[in-house]
């Protein structure tokens, strides 16, 4: 999930599996769906649940009663894939006790491995790539008739714009909306262009309608999702939209609807987007701007198409237009091919120059078929990779603590997202900068906006009280 907590551990944000349930849907067959990876995968699972509902499936959280188990998988790093393999072997046990159970693999790992999945993992019945979910009913028919089924066709047009997602695990307050699919950037380390295909933007009217519908149902926050939201573009004969225009359109639904977005790309984030954030109070003052490295040499090898100086200029502009209070988080990769200690020091010094609020930090994992795997040597030892990522994590921990300390004594407008995990007597919500704040609940309810005075903090959370 987007920086709901400070995520300081390698992999903590992205590889966790989550079972998605919406028990209220009526159907004769039971679907158990587990999602791994980024928010786009979670959003896709909601599209899949919607497609399968029309095919008579309702979702369940009880594996024992499932007729169909789907794992929506991630291929971003090797350990993301290992988790899925481990999960598949344990699911095999359920297949023994329930021979009619069908198991399908969706998402990025399905797309990467294609039919190889069926050869490698004998218990898998179904392999479906991210652009082929509309074909699920047909594929399931094939599976029902005793065959294995695969569709990993990548599309240049598919955006599932007309499908109304079934909100799974929803708190009824915040929801994700996919605004585009795929990625055309070709960062040399990254598997996403191969698993998600070419970049395409969804019709802005369908995005607007989805956000409006959510707001009318009582939702108070939408997060617009894309691998590179700044390259959103859509046009018809009469209209033309860039990301700034889309943000504005969604923000105008109501001042009571908060709008977030992820992920921004340093090479594409425009001043127009920054001014649009400034213009609307309900567009959150928080930008996730992955850096990946502080060394221009490494950024060049990564094909990120910006330099350290360019990145720092963008940060400067964010702070000039939106003020020092704008939350900024990063992604960083330690130990990319040929990275020296000096390059690593430059990453640490970039962090010192920016002082990020949060960070998602990983060590490099070579992905088969990517430009880096083909052209560069994965020559930093695992030991060095781990040490470097730990140094990056330590620095982020210090910076997050500094940033949290700076919030003490300030009052923030907080959207109540639900009970705090630790105590039923407390609510948890986030402020404009996406920082989690916990406070005694008083007579308010989930979905209310309240003003909260921050009194203290832990490393990941601000603690405060409602001031009426
Ligand atoms: N579209 C986003 C990133 C999506 S992937 C962007 O361009 O910023 C999320 C993060 O996973 C990346 O930002 C990167 O930090 C990390 N990542 C991607 N490929 C990786 C690899 N091969 N090894 C380690 N981390 C990787
Ligand atoms: Fe991967 Fe780069 Fe695209 Fe992000 S922008 S998804 S890192 S190729
Ligand atoms: Fe993983 Fe695919 Fe997302 S590789 S990070 S699930 S786009």
């Amino acid at each position: 999930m987007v920086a709901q907590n400070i995520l300081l551990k390698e992999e903590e944000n992205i590889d966790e599996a989550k079972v998605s349930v919406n028990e209220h849907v009526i159907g004769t067959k039971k679907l158990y769906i587990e999602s791994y990876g980024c928010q786009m995968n979670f959003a896709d699972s909601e599209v899949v649940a919607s497609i399968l509902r029309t095919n008579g499936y309702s979702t369940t959280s009880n594996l024992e009663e499932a007729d169909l188990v789907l794992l929506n998988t991630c291929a971003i790093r090797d350990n993301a894939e290992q988790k899925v393999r481990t999960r598949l072997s344990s699911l095999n046990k359920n297949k023994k006790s329930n021979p009619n159970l069908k198991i399908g693999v969706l998402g990025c790992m399905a797309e990467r491995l294609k039919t190889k999945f069926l050869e490698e993992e004998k218990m898998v019945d179904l392999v479906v790539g991210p652009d082929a979910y509309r074909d699920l009913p047909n594929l399931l028919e094939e599976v029902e008739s005793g065959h294995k089924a695969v569709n990993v066709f990548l599309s240049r047009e598919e955006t599932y714009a007309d499908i109304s997602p079934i909100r799974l695990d929803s708190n009824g307050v915040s929801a994700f909306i996919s605004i585009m699919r795929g990625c055309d950037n070709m960062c040399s380390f990254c598997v996403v262009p191969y698993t998600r295909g070419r970049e395409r933007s969804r019709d802005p009217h369908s995005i607007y309608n989805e956000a409006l519908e959510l707001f009318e149902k009582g939702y108070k926050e939408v997060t617009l999702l894309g691998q590179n939201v700044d390259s959103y573009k859509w046009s018809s004969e009469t209209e033309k939209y860039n990301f700034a225009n889309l943000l504005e359109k969604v923000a105008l639904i109501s001042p009571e609807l908060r709008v977030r977005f992820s992920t921004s790309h340093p090479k594409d984030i425009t001043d127009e987007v920054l001014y649009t954030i400034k213009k609307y109070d309900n567009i959150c003052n928080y930008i996730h701007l992955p850096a990946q490295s502080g060394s221009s040499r490494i950024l060049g090898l990564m094909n990120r198409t910006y330099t350290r100086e360019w990145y720092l200029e963008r940060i400067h502009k964010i702070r000039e237009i939106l003020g020092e209070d704008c939350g900024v988080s990063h992604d960083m990769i330690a130990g990319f091919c040929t990275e020296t200690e000096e390059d690593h020091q430059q990453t640490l010094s970039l962090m010192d120059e920016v002082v990020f609020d949060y960070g998602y930090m990983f060590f490099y994992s070579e992905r088969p078929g990517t430009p880096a795997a083909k052209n560069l040597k994965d020559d930093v030892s695992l030991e060095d990779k781990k040490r470097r990522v730990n140094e990056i994590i330590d620095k982020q921990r210090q910076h997050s603590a500094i940033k949290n300390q700076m919030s003490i004594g300030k009052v923030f407008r907080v959207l109540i997202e639900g009970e705090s995990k630790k105590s039923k007597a407390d609510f948890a919500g986030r402020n404009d900068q996406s920082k989690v704040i916990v406070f005694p609940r008083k007579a308010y309810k989930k979905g209310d906006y309240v003003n909260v005075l921050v009194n203290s903090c832990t490393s990941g959370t601000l603690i405060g009280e409602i001031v009426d």
Side-chain angles (χ1 to χ4, degrees):
M1 307 277 97
V2 182
Q4 286 185 336
N5 287 304
I6 306 168
L7 293 157
L8 294 171
K9 273 195 231 135
E10 212 270 5
E11 307 297 347
E12 207 169 0
N13 63 327
I14 215 160
D15 296 331
E16 217 148 272
K18 235 175 145 188
V19 182
S20 301
V21 206
N22 178 327
E23 305 271 9
H24 310 295
V25 182
I26 302 150
T28 51
K29 287 175 274 179
K30 296 279 186 194
L31 160 68
Y32 175 97
I33 185 161
E34 223 170 68
S35 305
Y36 296 74
C38 65
Q39 291 134 333
M40 307 205 67
N41 248 18
F42 285 77
D44 278 3
S45 292
E46 301 188 327
V47 167
V48 167
S50 175
I51 291 170
L52 287 181
R53 176 168 63 172
T54 38
N55 218 40
Y57 280 92
S58 61
T59 48
T60 175
S61 59
N62 182 2
L63 190 55
E64 306 300 318
E65 65 172 18
D67 303 290
L68 173 65
V69 173
L70 295 176
L71 301 187
N72 197 356
T73 61
C74 173
I76 201 83
R77 285 169 290 276
D78 184 57
N79 59 358
E81 294 200 354
Q82 289 318 324
K83 273 187 194 156
V84 171
R85 288 183 198 282
T86 312
R87 186 65 179 135
L88 281 172
S89 356
S90 94
L91 285 173
N92 203 15
K93 292 188 203 102
N94 295 69
K95 225 174 175 178
K96 277 183 195 139
S97 58
N98 173 9
N100 291 329
L101 176 69
K102 305 293 177 209
I103 298 178
V105 180
L106 315 178
C108 292
M109 199 178 164
E111 190 63 48
R112 192 178 84 71
L113 291 165
K114 303 186 170 61
T115 50
K116 260 206 232 158
F117 230 123
L118 298 178
E119 293 153 27
E120 287 175 24
E121 306 283 345
K122 299 286 181 234
M123 79 290 282
V124 171
D125 302 290
L126 180 71
V127 178
V128 191
D131 285 347
Y133 297 146
R134 280 182 207 269
D135 197 24
L136 269 165
N138 299 327
L139 296 166
L140 280 168
E141 253 177 53
E142 239 177 272
V143 168
E144 291 300 332
S145 64
H147 300 105
K148 303 260 176 186
V150 181
N151 187 344
V152 287
F153 173 74
L154 282 176
S155 158
R156 280 180 176 252
E157 286 97 33
E158 181 62 272
T159 58
Y160 301 111
D162 57 316
I163 292 180
S164 180
I166 291 183
R167 304 291 161 188
L168 302 165
D169 300 320
S170 173
N171 60 6
V173 176
S174 27
F176 295 112
I177 301 181
S178 283
I179 63 162
M180 56 208 293
R181 299 183 73 81
C183 184
D184 280 352
N185 279 324
M186 303 302 281
C187 301
S188 64
F189 52 80
C190 185
V191 78
V192 172
Y194 306 93
T195 62
R196 293 262 164 183
R198 300 302 300 267
E199 181 188 289
R200 68 221 95 124
S201 296
R202 178 177 165 191
D203 181 331
H205 304 288
S206 76
I207 298 168
Y208 175 87
N209 289 339
E210 192 173 325
L212 180 64
E213 206 174 290
L214 284 163
F215 183 65
E216 285 170 351
K217 281 188 185 150
Y219 283 79
K220 294 289 180 61
E221 180 180 274
V222 292
T223 303
L224 308 181
L225 294 179
Q227 290 298 355
N228 177 0
V229 289
D230 302 293
S231 66
Y232 178 89
K233 55 176 179 303
W234 188 89
S235 58
S236 69
E237 272 171 23
T238 48
E239 294 173 301
K240 218 171 162 183
Y241 279 85
N242 62 18
F243 183 56
N245 309 142
L246 178 74
L247 256 185
E248 180 160 45
K249 189 178 175 75
V250 177
L252 282 168
I253 288 176
S254 164
E256 292 294 296
L257 180 70
R258 271 190 171 175
V259 186
R260 299 185 187 275
F261 54 90
S262 187
T263 303
S264 304
H265 195 298
K267 83 175 158 66
D268 293 320
I269 188 165
T270 60
D271 293 355
E272 190 189 359
V273 165
L274 301 180
Y275 283 115
T276 308
I277 299 171
K278 187 183 164 81
K279 189 170 163 193
Y280 296 95
D281 281 347
N282 56 326
I283 304 180
C284 287
N285 245 350
Y286 167 65
I287 298 173
H288 180 55
L289 198 67
Q292 315 298 5
S293 171
S295 153
S296 293
R297 187 183 73 82
I298 294 293
L299 287 169
L301 289 174
M302 287 176 163
N303 195 30
R304 287 290 287 182
T305 68
Y306 55 83
T307 59
R308 174 191 177 94
E309 290 69 33
W310 174 280
Y311 186 89
L312 287 171
E313 188 279 330
R314 290 288 79 198
I315 294 286
H316 178 74
K317 206 68 189 182
I318 288 169
R319 293 193 167 147
E320 185 187 300
I321 296 172
L322 296 171
E324 289 296 320
D325 275 347
C326 181
V328 184
S329 59
H330 66 91
D331 287 352
M332 216 63 94
I333 299 178
F336 186 64
C337 311
T338 81
E339 187 188 76
T340 61
E341 281 307 314
E342 201 189 322
D343 294 315
H344 170 58
Q345 288 305 322
Q346 287 193 30
T347 295
L348 295 173
S349 82
L350 179 100
M351 293 173 74
D352 281 331
E353 280 198 40
V354 179
V355 190
F356 292 100
D357 295 75
Y358 311 99
Y360 300 88
M361 295 145 287
F362 316 98
F363 62 78
Y364 175 57
S365 164
E366 187 178 84
R367 308 311 294 130
T370 55
K374 285 184 193 151
N375 307 322
L376 299 168
K377 204 158 165 242
D378 182 13
D379 56 358
V380 178
S381 69
L382 188 61
E383 197 189 340
D384 279 341
K385 283 180 182 174
K386 286 190 173 167
R387 175 183 49 78
R388 288 179 193 169
V389 83
N390 281 329
E391 287 175 14
I392 292 171
I393 289 168
D394 281 346
K395 187 163 289 292
Q396 187 52 52
R397 196 169 276 141
Q398 290 162 23
H399 288 168
S400 297
I402 292 171
K403 288 284 180 162
N404 278 354
Q405 289 287 340
M406 282 164 67
S407 302
I408 294 176
K410 290 187 184 162
V411 174
F412 295 102
R413 191 164 190 248
V414 173
L415 172 61
I416 301 176
E417 291 179 13
E419 276 170 8
S420 141
K421 278 186 203 136
K422 289 201 179 129
S423 161
K424 281 197 160 58
D426 290 339
F427 272 139
R430 277 180 296 156
N431 69 5
D432 201 30
Q433 291 80 26
S434 206
K435 284 203 163 84
V436 176
I437 309 187
V438 173
F439 47 91
R441 49 200 295 168
K442 286 195 172 171
Y444 291 92
K445 59 182 190 312
K446 199 168 77 169
D448 285 345
Y449 286 102
V450 285
N451 291 321
V452 178
L453 168 69
V454 175
N455 298 318
S456 62
C457 62
T458 66
S459 64
T461 311
L462 301 176
I463 297 157
E465 60 184 318
I466 296 172
V467 284
D468 295 311

